Structures are given as C-alpha cells and as structure tokens.
Amino acid sequence: MIESPMITFPLLILFLPLISFVILIFFGKKLPRQGDWVAVGSIVTTFILAVYLFVQMLTSYDANFSHGASLSWIDMGAFKIDLGILVDNLTIVMLLIVTLVSSCTHIFSLEYMKGDVRYNRYYAYLGLFTFSMNGIVLADNLISMYMSWELVGVSSYLLIGHWFEKDSAANASKKAFLTNRVGDIGFFIGIMLLYSAVGAFTFAPIFDSISGGEAIAGMTLTLAGLGIFMGAVGKSSQFPLHIWLPDAMEGPTPVSALMHAATMVAAGVYMCVRLFPIFTADALTVIAYIGAITAILAALTAITQNDIKKVLAYSTVSQLGFMVLAVGTGVYTAAFFHLLTHAMFKANLFYCSGSVIHSMHHALHEAHDHDTDPQDMRNMGGFREKMPITYYSMLISTLAIAGVPLFSGFLSKDAILAGTLAFAQQNPVHFLLPLLGFSAAAITAFYMFRLIFMTFHGKPNMKNIFKDIHESPKEMTGPIVLLGALSFFIFYTLPSNFNPIKDKGWFKDLIVPRNSAVPGSLTANEIAEYAHYAHYLAMGLSLFVAAAGILLAVLMYQRQSISSEKLSNKFGFLYHWSYNKFYFDENYNRYLYQPFLRLANSISWLDWEFYDKYFINGFGKLTKSFSKISGKFDYDGIDQGLVDGFGRVSSVSGNFLRNIQTGRLQNYLLFVVAGILVIIIAQAF
Amino acid sequence: MENILSLLIWIPILGAIVVAFLPRDKDNLIRYTSAAVTGLQFIIAIVLWRKFDPSDGSMQFMERYEWIPSLNISYILGVDGLSLPMVLLTGMLFFIGVFVSWNIKKAVKGYFSLYLLLDAGVVGVFLSLDFFLFYIFWEVMLLPMYFLIGMWGGPQREYAAIKFFLYTLFGSVLMLIGILGLYFTCGKTFDILLIMERAPEALNGVLWWGMSAAKVIWVLVFIGFAIKVPVFPFHTWLPLAHVEAPTAISVLLAGILLKLGVYGIIRVNYGIMPNEVYWFAGGLAFLGLVNVIWGGLCALAQTDLKKLVAYSSINHMGYSLLGMAAVVAAGAMNGGDLKAAQAGLSGAVFQMFNHGTISAMLFILVGVVYERAHHRDIDGFGGLASKMPVYTGITALAFFAGLGLPGFSGFVSEAMCFIGAFPVFRTIVILSTIGILLNAAYFLWAFQRVFFGKLNEKYKDMEEINGLELFTVIPLAVITLFFGIYPGPYLDLIKATMDQIIEKVAFVATYASL
C-alpha cells in the first residue's frame, strides 16, 4: 500500500469542506450561483478521495491496517496534548459514509433549497458540518474528538435554526445544542477521569494502560466509560436525552437526512465502537439497557405520529437505540454494520420524504393554501402513481429498515439481535434486552409500512392539490435512486480483495471485532461464538417479527380490516402516551427547566436586590454613621491632622461626592500619595 | 531601548498631560492624539514582546533606581512571562478603546486625559516590582476609573462610581496593611523580588494575635485582589459598574482591570507566600466553583444584555480561580503531579487573557446595538438577524467564543483549568462543569431573543455595524480564533515563568514534608 495517500487523502477529506465553509461565509454572496459549486465541488472531491481509500482497503485486504500521524498542539513540558489522525478500516468506511451522504445532500439541496434567502450560508454550514464530522471520524485522541464533537453540535445548531424566523426552528436549535451539552459534560468528565489516571489523551496509550490494569480499573473505569458514553447519549439521541432529535426536524429536510439520520447522530455510536475497549462489563450493561429502552420507547412513539418527518425522526432514535444496544451486548461491529446500512436507507427515507414534502409544498402553493401542513401524512395518500421513483425507492428502504431478507437492514439488524439474544442466553437476568429488541423490531416494521400506506397508497386525501403532485427533478431523484439501490444486501456481502471464493463479505472480513482492553472481559472470539450459536434462533425470530409488523400494517392501513381509530380508542391511554411522546418534554419542562429558571431568578434577586442592596450597602450606611460620630469626635478638637486608615475611608466617603464637581485631579493624587506616606510614617516611627 | 518599560508607563502619562493642554474644542485633535499615544505604546509593547526571551522565566528588562532611600523605596520595573501578555493586551485594548470611545461627545478632553492616565496606571501595576510603586499605580488606576464611570456613564453613574470606588478602596486598604506587614517582617524593604526571597523564612513561625502572620497577610492581600477579580462575595460592584460605564470603559474594565486581580494573586500571594497556597487552595477552588455557578445563574436571569455579559465575567473568572488552585497538585502530598499543575496554572493565566479578548468583544458588540437602539433590553429586540447579518455573524462568533466552543481560545484555557484542577479537586471540578451548560444556556437564549424570530418592526431601519466598529472587533476575533486553533505561541511565552512558580510551590511542599 502506498504510504502517503493514506495520510494526505484523509487530511484533504478533512480540510476541503472547511475551506469551502470559509470561502462561502466570506465571499458566498459575491460568487456566481452564491458559490454552491464550491461546496458541491469540494465535497464530491472528498467523496472521490474516500472511494480511493476504500478501494485501497478492499484490495489490500488487511484487517489490521492502521496508520496515523500527529502533531504537538500544546506542550508545557509535562502537560502535553498531541492532535493526530488515525486511519484504519473503520475510519475509511466511516469516511465513505459521511462523504457519500454529504455529497448526496449537497446535490439534493441544489434543487430543494433553490431560491432560499440564505442559500450561501446553508452550503457554508454544510461544509462546516462535514469538516467537524470528519474530525470525529479521524480523531486519534479524546481532545480532538471532543472538539469536533462540539463543532458538530454547532453546525447542527446553525442548520436546525436555518429558518430562524420561525420560533419553532430557533427553539429547536437551542434545545439541540443544550441537550447535547448535557451529554458533553459527561464526556468531558470521562476524559478528565481517564487523563488523570492514565496521563494520556491518545487512544492507543489509554488502551494499553487499561489492559495493564493498574492505572485505572473497577468503578473508576466504569464511571469514566459511562461519562464518555454520556456524550454518545446526547449526540446519538438516547434516552433520556433523546428529546432534541424529533425537534431537530425543523431544519431543512436534506439536513435531516445528512445529520439527523445518517451521520451526525451516528457519531455517538461510532465513538462507542472506537472506544469499545475501555468499557467495563458494568458500563456495557448500562449501555445495553439505555439502548434497549431508547429503541422501544421511540418505536412506540413513532406509531402514532402523523408528521412524516417525525415518524422518521423517531425511527432514527429507535434504530440508534439498536446500535447502542449492540455495543452494550458486546457485538459492537454489528452496531457499526447497522450504522453503515442505516446511514444509506435512512438518508434515503429522508430524501424521499423531502421529495414528497417538496411536491406538497409546490402543490399547496399552486392551490394558494398556506395553512395546510405539507408534512402531515393525513393530507397525502395515493402518491404512488404520481411519484413512482420516490415511491419505489422509499419502499426498498422501508423493506430494509423493516428487516426483510435480501435488504441491507436484515443483515445488520439480525447481527444485533443475535448478539443481544446470545448475551441474554449467557446472562439470563438480562432477558429483557432481547425481548425489547425484538418487540422494537416488530413495531419498526409496522410503523414504517403505516407511513408507506398513508403516503403512497389508498385514495388521495386532498383531491384539490393532488393534480399538482409530481415527481421531483433529477437533482433530487439522483440521490434517491443511488441510496435506494444501496439498500440491497448485495453491496455489503460482496467479497473483499475481489476474491470470489471468499465466503464472507468485505465488511466481516475487514471490520473485525477486537478484544476489550479491560482485564477479565470476554474476548471477541467468545462473544462471536455465543452470537453464532444464537444466530439461527435470532434469524427466525426476526423474520417472524418483521412479518408480523408488516402484516398488521397491511391489515390496518391497506385493507383497513382493523380500524385504527377503534384500536386507539380502546387503548386510549396508551395511545395518548405514544401520541404525546410519553410526555418527556412536558415533564422536563415542569420538573427541570422551570425550576432551574426559577432558581436562576431567585439567585439573581438574592444577589442584586438583597445581598447588594442590604448587606453591602449596609456597610456603607454603617460607615457613614460611624464617620458622623468620628467627625464629631474630630470636630471636638482632639486632633484634626491625624488621618488613619479608618479616617481615610470615612473622609473619602463623606467628602468625595461633594468634591467631584471640582474635578481637581491632582488634589486626589496628592491626597492618596500623602495618605500612604502618613501611614508609613505613623507605622514606622 | 534600555528603559523600554518606563517608556510604556510614561508615554501615556505624557500623553495625558499633552491632551490636557490641547484646546478644548478640538475634539478630533484630542482623539487622534490619544490614538497616536496608545498606538505608540502598543507598538512599544510589541517590540518588547519580540525582544523578550521566552526561555527565561525570571524578570527581564529590569530597571532599578533609588527613589526614597530612607524608606528603602525604589523605582523597580521588570517583565516576565506572567506580565508580558497582559502588557500586550493592555496596549492593544487601550488602542482599540480609543476608537470605541470615538463617539464620546461630552468633555472629550477630560475623558481622554483620564483615559491615558488609566492606561499608565494599569501598565504600571503590571510592571512595577516595588510594592510602594505598585500601590501608587494601583491607586492611580482607581481615580481615573472613578471619574470615567461617574461622569461619562449612564443614568446611575454616580452611585456606580462611588460604589466601585469604595469597594476597591476597601480592598486596597487591606492590601496596604498586608504590604506593610511584609515590609516590616522582611527587613523593611518594598522590593518585591527581595521580599519573595526573604518572606518564606522571615514569615516562618511569626504569629500575630496568635495567628500565623503569613496567613493573615495572605488573606488581607487576597481580599484586595479578590475584589478586582471579582471573587464572590466581593462581586456586586461589577454588574453595576459595567451597566453604567460607557462602552469603552466596560471593555477595559472587563478586558484588563479584572485581570489585575488574578495577576496580583499569582504575583504576590503565590510568589511571596507559596507555603500558604496549600492552605488556601481548597478555598480558592471552592470560590471558583461559586463564581462559576453563581455568575452563570445570575447571567441566565438577566434581561439587560450588558448585565448579562457582566455576570458572564464573574462566571468566566471562576474557571481561572479553579485553574490557579491546581498548582498544589505539584506538591509532594498530592503526588507531585506536574502535569496537572502546569495545565491548571497556565490555563488560569491563559484564561485571563482570553477572557480579556472575548469579553472586550462582547462589550463592544453590546455597545453597537445600544448606540442604535438606546436600550439593552434582551426582550426588546427580536429578529435582528434578518436585518443585520454581519453584526449577527460577528456576535454569534463572540457568543460562541464566550460559551467555550472549541476553535476559540476560551475553550483551550477552560479545558486546561478543568483538567488541571481535576486530580486534586475532583468533586469541585465535576460540579463546576455545570458551568459549561450555563454558559451555553445564557448565551444561546439571549442570542435567540435578540436575533431570531420575526424582525421587530421598530428596528426595521436599524443600521448595520459600521466600518469603525468592525475595526475594533475584528482584531479581537482574529486573536480569539488564532489562539483557539493554535495556542502554542501564547503558552510558549508563559511556560518558563509558570514553571518557576510551580517549582516554587512544589519546592515548599517538599521542604515542608521533610
């Protein structure tokens, strides 16, 4: 393998989007077409570079391939921070995902964002995002990962709030940033715990120290791991910090596809995969439960949502829960596999929804209807005949997410569920994990087909606009077709090294699980073996639940032989819980935000109205009355010339206001200098 | 260039005198003269920086003249890695401040001559190595500030000015007693370097009223500096002074005058009484925590944009206190953790510089909108982003720098303070990290209320930020970004001096444990 491109290409992939950001922020308005070609050009270049790296990876066929380079950022002697990049198979696959989806989003947006008020800013922010995301992917140490982590948060803030004139968008962007910061606090505490024990920020020495078992172990290591995982809870929108992601749908839909579905929210999972060796068994158990709870809660919420993007948003949360569950049960390469397949089909689902919304917008505009919500599925129906490309592509991706064989999601979800099942077989107390996992899988199949049926099948619900519904232009259908195709299994099971005799696909060959660094953990081989035993049972079960979910959706929304209304009436309170997203926002608002604001207000009141007004000014009053007495004392003629420390204070406070108007500055200077002299002389002799 | 440090002090004093003799009605002449004087001072500061040898941690460019020999008072100046960046910051901010003050209309002559006097006082405090001189500059700084707030300030200016004055005077009286205590115990000298040498031995075992003299002096001097920082509970003068002061004075107040507190604690308390650092570090870290949380919560509750920024200063200086406390990690009883001590102390010193540039930027930007709208009520704006995109962009940058976003210098120094303090003050640091959330909350919430949403009809004719204003903000933004991406140059400048201070504190600890 050629040495240098393995470092220079990743660096180009990292910095090209940043250059595009800088150019567009400063000169975007002055460039032809507001500079969108700069952004598209730079991102497509990074994609081509990533493809090159990917092909190199496939042909070199080295599961242990790893390259790195770093430079000293801070060097205080003992305290040092080196920033560097780490390029291995994991990095290359992730770079490919990011640059591919980012390229698609850039191209898709050419049409979708046409004529937007802040078109150049939009493309600039996309560049900033791609830069920061690649920064996370390439980081070889906790500091640069944390830095990119926060920068990703900012680009998300800027893009969610792209239409900031809308209060809902401004609120959503703030909520996203702040919720993420809660997670980041944990991340940073985790970094400090690790650093104070190990004395390094770079991954490799941290892993070494942990496997040594002396620098850090037991509870401290568990807490460090959970702290770092908190970062992932925020970014990957896990329970209990998942509340920001559905609101993030206020951003433009291509942004939702890129960031809030395919890549940014997957950063948390990527980080867990990258740092898997540091998690202790206890930490992993917590991680597994967080993932399982997230998967089921979000899936249950998705059932009743009517906004097409909200359904997809909750489905993203739920799928991220699956990935986290996989990390927790030890099959972390399965988590990464699902990250990969999910990035493709979920990005596509969002593009398709974007295509539908775009069309709805247009049609509503033609009908001069500005009140109808273009994202509400109850206003759709029957779009299949009008938008065949969107429909078929979306259907393929839906089959993938539902876990139907021959589609990519089946492979990865199956790997996760097998791992979870194996984990529970080894630790029967954790039987809930596979139970929640399989239930969430069934619900996924159900709500995704509900979406398909409500949007594309049946009769059009708004006949007046139906005639104006049309297929989107090729800038939009291009990415849709490409990513739809990538939902087929074949792309993930192609042999690596272009060697047709290999029985495993490239992914399994090249992304190999490693042992945990924590002494006493199960080895990667053991985990793989247990998962292998559970595999057939898991496959059977997952086929069954997918079929059951789809069947129920067909009965309710296609055949309508089961009335959804009756069902929701029957299970009224369950329906309301789901429809209201389990009241997380309301409860957080009542029990966290409001008390917090009240606390801030009372502290501020205490500070300003009480402490300062009464306590501090009380001193002033005291001194004033004191100085009156002392003035009288003085006046009575004991000694007028003696100025002591106290007298100085009182005389200044007493006389100062009167003397301001004279403004004779030299007097004051003289006075102060003389005062000091008098004190010194008084003290010295 | 032998007396380069004296030049830094006497040029503005000379400038103040020249301005005082200029004709009263020639406003522009006065402004340009002030710009020239501060510009010249800034250039000299840059020359000083280029000539400074960063590998040497001790005093450089020293000047020493006898002044009042009978009392052992001398005129001693010197600069090291701790004071040099502050001198540079002073040079820059006073130069920029002239342009921020460009629209001052009332008594221009008086304003600028006081302004230049203030400049001399600040530089003097950073450079003097004789306590008598130090104290004189400390007071010289106080007076112009009093008048600048009291005469050119907002509606409550006189109350604010007298409060500022009395608060600081209270502190300086205590400091003076502390200085005199050192004078008499260390062989009747005001020479700071000499006292540094003698104090640990001279103060060893000395009791005053049954208390350790060193501890008493530590507390007296600390309160004097703590009021400047300001450390809770001596902070209430700050929001008031900021709200009432004219923009340029707020910029200088937050940008430099607060730094004198941290500078003084490190120079005097740490330098002279390293032994007591161990005794006080826990308290310092705790005060840091209180500053972070209290300042953050108060900032969250503000409706006046300037007051919000003022409270954010209290919040941000808290990180600096945390970092300073971290020095004790180098002590033998704490395992001699040099990494943490370096991270913490350098972080604290870096943080005071960064807060200087960032808060200066914030106050200038608040001034920009106040100039146009004549109010600063956060809820009274709305939607300005659609009307003033450039102003919005640069304010977003300043706010993000303020909330410690990576890529800006504030992140580096805050992270260093946290990382440094963590091994010794674990619980306090973990609690302080809530500050990271508070920073983001108050800045983003304020940002949303001022800039997002529908444009307030009242401000549909609001003017975009103009060239002069941009000229004052952009250099600060560039510095903030530069040190955020590449903090090396700054840290290299202070490294040797920081190591000397750490070594001193660590040495005392080894010495004590023997």
Side-chain angles (χ1 to χ4, degrees):
Chain A
M1 179 163 294
I2 312 153
E3 280 280 327
S4 58
M6 280 300 160
I7 297 300
T8 50
F9 281 19
L11 284 176
L12 278 173
I13 292 175
L14 181 62
F15 287 111
L16 276 177
L18 181 67
I19 295 168
S20 148
F21 163 71
V22 173
I23 293 175
L24 287 181
I25 270 288
F26 287 111
F27 312 108
K29 278 242 163 84
K30 297 182 192 97
L31 293 170
R33 291 184 55 96
Q34 299 202 28
D36 57 2
W37 50 275
V38 176
V40 176
S42 76
I43 200 70
V44 170
T45 312
T46 64
F47 173 61
I48 292 166
L49 294 173
V51 169
Y52 173 84
L53 294 177
F54 187 68
V55 171
Q56 287 288 320
M57 179 188 102
L58 290 182
T59 50
S60 76
Y61 187 62
D62 176 6
N64 293 316
F65 166 76
S66 175
H67 254 349
S70 70
L71 54 87
S72 166
W73 190 52
I74 287 178
D75 182 0
M76 300 298 297
F79 178 72
K80 285 189 180 117
I81 300 179
D82 293 338
L83 299 188
I85 61 168
L86 169 67
V87 185
D88 62 7
N89 292 349
L90 195 66
T91 318
I92 292 172
V93 174
M94 195 68 190
L95 282 180
L96 187 72
I97 299 174
V98 174
T99 54
L100 170 61
V101 183
S102 192
S103 301
C104 288
T105 295
H106 277 72
I107 293 164
F108 190 89
S109 305
L110 288 173
E111 177 63 32
Y112 193 87
M113 298 299 285
K114 201 188 242 169
D116 188 82
V117 269
R118 285 176 289 274
Y119 188 70
N120 66 317
R121 292 230 174 173
Y122 173 81
Y123 272 104
Y125 296 154
L126 282 184
L128 178 64
F129 164 72
T130 312
F131 160 71
S132 352
M133 185 68 205
N134 286 335
I136 296 179
V137 175
L138 285 164
D140 78 337
N141 66 88
L142 291 167
I143 294 290
S144 41
M145 187 176 256
Y146 183 85
M147 287 173 30
S148 313
W149 198 259
E150 288 251 295
L151 288 178
V152 159
V154 164
S155 22
S156 161
Y157 171 83
L158 295 169
L159 282 164
I160 296 170
H162 182 72
W163 291 312
F164 55 73
E165 289 90 348
K166 273 198 298 181
D167 283 334
S168 53
N171 281 329
S173 63
K174 184 182 63 191
K175 182 174 177 183
F177 194 88
L178 293 182
T179 315
N180 268 297
R181 266 243 155 151
V182 175
D184 292 356
I185 287 178
F187 191 176
F188 198 75
I189 292 173
I191 292 176
M192 290 193 288
L193 271 168
L194 276 179
Y195 180 75
S196 64
V198 171
F201 293 112
T202 312
F203 299 151
I206 290 176
F207 295 162
D208 288 346
S209 297
I210 290 173
S211 48
E214 275 163 26
I216 185 168
M219 196 58 187
T220 322
L221 185 56
T222 303
L223 286 176
L226 286 177
I228 287 180
F229 173 66
M230 242 181 96
V233 172
K235 196 113 301 176
S236 286
S237 185
Q238 298 294 296
F239 165 84
L241 299 181
H242 62 284
I243 45 158
W244 67 272
L245 186 58
D247 290 29
M249 297 301 130
E250 289 291 339
T253 304
V255 168
S256 309
L258 172 61
M259 301 168 71
H260 306 119
T263 58
M264 183 186 97
V265 288
V269 177
Y270 176 80
M271 182 242 262
C272 291
V273 170
R274 178 58 81 201
L275 295 177
F276 182 79
I278 71 163
F279 295 117
T280 61
D282 290 342
L284 287 175
T285 309
V286 175
I287 293 173
Y289 274 95
I290 295 280
I293 292 169
T294 309
I296 191 81
L297 272 184
L300 284 172
T301 311
I303 297 177
T304 54
Q305 302 304 312
N306 292 319
D307 182 317
I308 187 167
K309 280 183 79 180
K310 281 271 157 74
V311 177
L312 291 177
Y314 278 104
S315 126
T316 305
V317 177
S318 172
Q319 297 301 308
L320 291 165
F322 275 109
M323 297 177 211
V324 170
L325 172 63
V327 171
T329 51
V331 286
Y332 74 94
T333 51
F336 188 63
F337 195 17
H338 198 54
L339 191 166
L340 167 66
T341 60
H342 175 259
M344 302 304 147
F345 61 67
K346 185 52 69 63
N348 188 42
L349 288 170
F350 269 104
Y351 290 142
C352 293
S353 79
S355 171
V356 169
I357 294 164
H358 194 63
S359 182
M360 280 288 284
H361 244 299
H362 174 76
L364 287 169
H365 187 74
E366 292 289 312
H368 302 290
D369 181 348
H370 298 290
D371 300 320
T372 309
D373 182 358
Q375 303 188 178
D376 195 325
M377 294 189 293
R378 287 170 297 190
N379 301 329
M380 301 174 188
F383 284 11
R384 178 170 49 167
E385 48 185 280
K386 294 276 191 171
M387 313 179 72
I389 304 177
T390 304
Y391 168 67
Y392 284 109
S393 184
M394 195 163 193
L395 184 63
I396 290 165
S397 290
T398 302
L399 288 165
I401 195 176
V404 174
L406 299 185
F407 296 94
S408 61
F410 172 73
L411 301 173
S412 52
K413 202 181 267 185
D414 184 47
I416 290 175
L417 291 172
T420 312
L421 195 59
F423 183 76
Q425 282 170 346
Q426 295 304 312
N427 312 283
V429 275
H430 300 308
F431 70 93
L432 248 146
L433 293 175
L435 193 67
L436 294 175
F438 282 106
S439 317
I443 300 168
T444 306
F446 171 74
Y447 69 70
M448 282 310 299
F449 273 89
R450 170 178 176 265
L451 183 151
I452 290 285
F453 291 141
M454 283 179 81
T455 311
F456 293 102
H457 290 234
K459 285 186 214 74
N461 286 322
M462 286 184 71
K463 295 203 176 56
N464 56 330
I465 60 162
F466 190 67
K467 62 176 178 6
D468 289 318
I469 298 292
H470 56 78
E471 188 55 277
S472 298
K474 61 182 182 311
E475 287 92 340
M476 291 167 70
T477 49
I480 288 175
V481 171
L482 176 66
L483 291 179
L486 287 173
S487 301
F488 285 105
F489 80 102
I490 187 78
F491 296 99
Y492 307 91
T493 53
L494 281 172
S496 60
N497 203 13
F498 303 119
N499 175 359
I501 306 165
K502 281 273 169 201
D503 64 331
K504 290 192 274 187
W506 62 268
F507 186 89
K508 282 197 170 165
D509 267 340
L510 293 177
I511 309 291
V512 188
R514 284 175 213 296
N515 294 335
S516 171
V518 182
S521 305
L522 287 178
T523 63
N525 270 338
E526 284 168 325
I527 293 172
E529 209 169 303
Y530 296 143
H532 188 70
Y533 286 134
H535 187 69
Y536 287 103
L537 179 57
M539 198 183 339
L541 280 171
S542 59
L543 278 177
F544 171 73
V545 295
I550 296 173
L551 188 69
L552 189 63
V554 170
L555 290 177
M556 282 175 72
Y557 295 95
Q558 173 76 345
R559 296 279 177 79
Q560 309 204 325
S561 43
I562 303 175
S563 157
S564 56
E565 262 171 50
K566 267 189 198 152
L567 215 60
S568 58
N569 286 337
K570 201 166 183 185
F571 297 100
F573 98 97
L574 279 177
Y575 172 79
H576 284 294
W577 274 59
S578 163
Y579 186 74
N580 290 305
K581 303 141 194 172
F582 294 89
Y583 298 99
F584 271 101
D585 283 321
E586 287 79 1
N587 283 319
Y588 282 176
N589 188 37
R590 185 182 305 163
Y591 298 110
L592 287 172
Y593 311 146
Q594 294 308 329
F596 199 70
L597 278 183
R598 275 202 294 276
L599 175 72
N601 283 326
S602 21
I603 291 279
S604 168
W605 179 87
L606 197 70
D607 191 65
W608 196 251
E609 300 293 335
F610 181 78
Y611 174 69
D612 186 58
K613 274 221 174 107
Y614 291 98
F615 190 75
I616 295 290
N617 287 1
F619 270 110
K621 287 209 183 86
L622 208 69
T623 320
K624 230 167 140 185
S625 32
F626 229 67
S627 77
K628 258 186 202 151
I629 299 167
S630 110
K632 221 173 177 184
F633 198 59
D634 233 27
Y635 188 73
D636 286 347
I638 306 291
D639 189 349
Q640 303 232 354
L642 186 79
V643 184
D644 58 11
F646 175 72
R648 219 171 127 234
V649 176
S650 50
S651 108
V652 165
S653 64
N655 296 335
F656 219 88
L657 274 172
R658 204 184 323 135
N659 287 335
I660 300 166
Q661 283 88 344
T662 70
R664 261 182 253 128
L665 196 69
Q666 58 273 38
N667 288 357
Y668 293 107
L669 283 177
L670 208 66
F671 172 69
V672 170
V673 175
I676 299 165
L677 277 175
V678 168
I679 295 164
I680 289 168
I681 292 162
Q683 300 271 341
F685 304 106
Chain B
M1 280 291 161
E2 223 161 68
N3 293 326
I4 187 167
L5 301 186
S6 283
L7 278 180
L8 282 170
I9 298 172
W10 291 97
I11 284 176
I13 292 184
L14 212 68
I17 295 168
V18 169
V19 167
F21 282 103
L22 288 177
R24 185 170 295 278
D25 52 344
K26 292 261 193 295
D27 285 359
N28 266 337
L29 181 67
I30 292 165
R31 290 180 186 126
Y32 283 117
T33 312
S34 311
V37 170
T38 49
L40 182 64
Q41 187 201 27
F42 185 33
I43 291 169
I44 295 174
I46 291 172
V47 171
L48 176 69
W49 166 43
R50 299 318 305 168
K51 293 189 162 212
F52 181 82
D53 174 13
S55 62
D56 179 4
S58 47
M59 286 296 166
Q60 300 181 30
F61 302 96
M62 282 198 54
E63 293 174 29
R64 182 188 289 271
Y65 301 102
E66 290 282 310
W67 186 9
I68 311 174
S70 58
L71 289 169
N72 276 331
I73 293 171
S74 323
Y75 174 90
I76 312 174
L77 304 178
V79 68
D80 66 356
L82 179 62
S83 47
L84 178 68
M86 299 322 294
V87 171
L88 277 169
L89 184 67
T90 310
M92 183 176 66
L93 286 186
F94 270 92
F95 179 61
I96 288 176
V98 172
F99 300 97
V100 179
S101 317
W102 214 254
N103 50 16
I104 295 272
K105 302 274 186 301
K106 176 178 157 190
V108 177
K109 187 165 115 170
Y111 178 89
F112 278 106
S113 75
L114 286 167
Y115 181 92
L116 293 173
L117 197 63
L118 176 68
D119 185 355
V122 173
V123 178
V125 172
F126 283 128
L127 294 178
S128 33
L129 288 177
D130 180 281
F131 266 131
F132 193 81
L133 196 63
F134 181 89
Y135 192 76
I136 288 183
F137 282 126
W138 190 269
E139 297 292 310
V140 163
M141 190 177 72
L142 184 54
L143 281 164
M145 202 65 192
Y146 170 79
F147 289 111
L148 286 168
I149 296 174
M151 290 184 65
W152 285 269
Q156 271 191 296
R157 56 182 177 262
E158 288 185 7
Y159 172 57
I162 195 80
K163 188 158 208 158
F164 165 80
F165 189 89
L166 289 179
Y167 240 118
T168 319
L169 197 66
F170 170 70
S172 46
V173 168
L174 297 185
M175 192 165 83
L176 184 65
I177 301 171
I179 290 175
L180 291 176
L182 287 171
Y183 177 78
F184 288 110
T185 43
C186 297
K188 294 199 177 169
T189 177
F190 283 111
D191 183 337
I192 293 182
L193 296 182
L194 208 58
I195 293 177
M196 276 182 187
E197 247 171 62
R198 292 178 183 170
E201 215 169 308
L203 288 170
N204 192 18
V206 178
L207 295 182
W208 287 355
W209 309 288
M211 289 178 287
S212 150
K215 286 179 184 167
V216 173
I217 295 175
W218 171 287
V219 171
L220 288 172
V221 178
F222 176 77
I223 292 176
F225 291 130
I227 286 173
K228 266 273 171 317
V229 171
V231 178
F232 179 92
F234 307 114
H235 64 285
T236 56
W237 63 271
L238 179 92
L240 186 69
H242 268 310
V243 168
E244 297 305 323
T247 299
I249 301 309
S250 286
V251 168
L252 297 172
L253 195 57
I256 308 169
L257 270 79
L258 305 190
K259 277 65 215 180
L260 289 163
V262 174
Y263 169 80
I265 295 171
I266 296 177
R267 174 72 80 221
V268 178
N269 292 52
Y270 279 46
I272 294 176
M273 295 160 283
N275 215 349
E276 279 59 42
V277 176
Y278 291 89
W279 166 69
F280 204 77
L284 201 59
F286 179 73
L287 289 173
L289 165 68
V290 177
N291 258 39
V292 168
I293 304 295
W294 191 275
L297 283 172
C298 285
L300 194 62
Q302 297 314 311
T303 51
D304 180 330
L305 199 54
K306 209 170 177 188
K307 218 162 156 189
L308 181 145
V309 178
Y311 274 111
S312 90
S313 287
I314 297 173
N315 165 270
H316 277 106
M317 293 318 285
Y319 300 121
S320 212
L321 297 178
L322 266 181
M324 279 161 66
V327 177
V328 295
M333 66 280 253
N334 295 319
D337 186 349
L338 196 57
K339 287 197 294 286
Q342 280 180 342
L345 189 65
S346 327
V349 172
F350 197 19
Q351 169 75 1
M352 74 174 170
F353 183 87
N354 295 338
H355 178 256
T357 51
I358 294 168
S359 65
M361 215 165 21
L362 290 169
F363 278 115
I364 294 174
L365 290 166
V366 173
V368 168
V369 79
Y370 182 67
E371 187 72 16
R372 288 159 175 68
H374 305 291
H375 76 89
R376 293 179 304 253
D377 184 11
I378 297 175
D379 294 311
F381 296 103
L384 292 191
S386 21
K387 186 66 203 163
M388 317 166 74
V390 178
Y391 177 67
T392 308
I394 202 146
T395 308
L397 185 141
F399 275 23
F400 277 121
L403 63 81
L405 190 76
F408 296 102
S409 55
F411 166 76
V412 184
S413 50
E414 281 166 31
M416 284 171 78
C417 291
F418 279 134
I419 291 169
F422 189 75
V424 183
F425 307 105
R426 196 169 277 196
T427 318
I428 287 179
V429 170
I430 288 176
L431 290 173
S432 309
T433 51
I434 296 170
I436 309 181
L437 180 64
L438 287 171
N439 287 163
Y442 63 71
F443 274 129
L444 291 188
W445 194 30
F447 194 77
Q448 180 187 356
R449 287 181 285 169
V450 174
F451 293 99
F452 289 168
K454 286 234 159 34
L455 178 65
N456 188 337
E457 278 303 304
K458 265 200 320 211
Y459 301 116
K460 64 181 194 311
D461 298 322
M462 194 97 142
E463 262 175 72
E464 180 62 287
I465 184 168
N466 64 34
L468 184 68
E469 289 158 342
L470 277 177
F471 170 73
T472 59
V473 190
I474 285 174
L476 298 168
V478 170
I479 290 175
T480 311
L481 263 171
F482 179 82
F483 284 138
I485 295 164
Y486 186 43
Y490 185 94
L491 295 173
D492 287 342
L493 204 59
I494 65 171
K495 184 156 73 180
T497 307
M498 296 300 110
D499 277 348
Q500 256 190 10
I501 297 168
I502 293 166
E503 210 172 290
K504 198 176 226 170
V505 175
F507 172 74
V508 171
T510 352
Y511 174 75
S513 64
L514 279 176

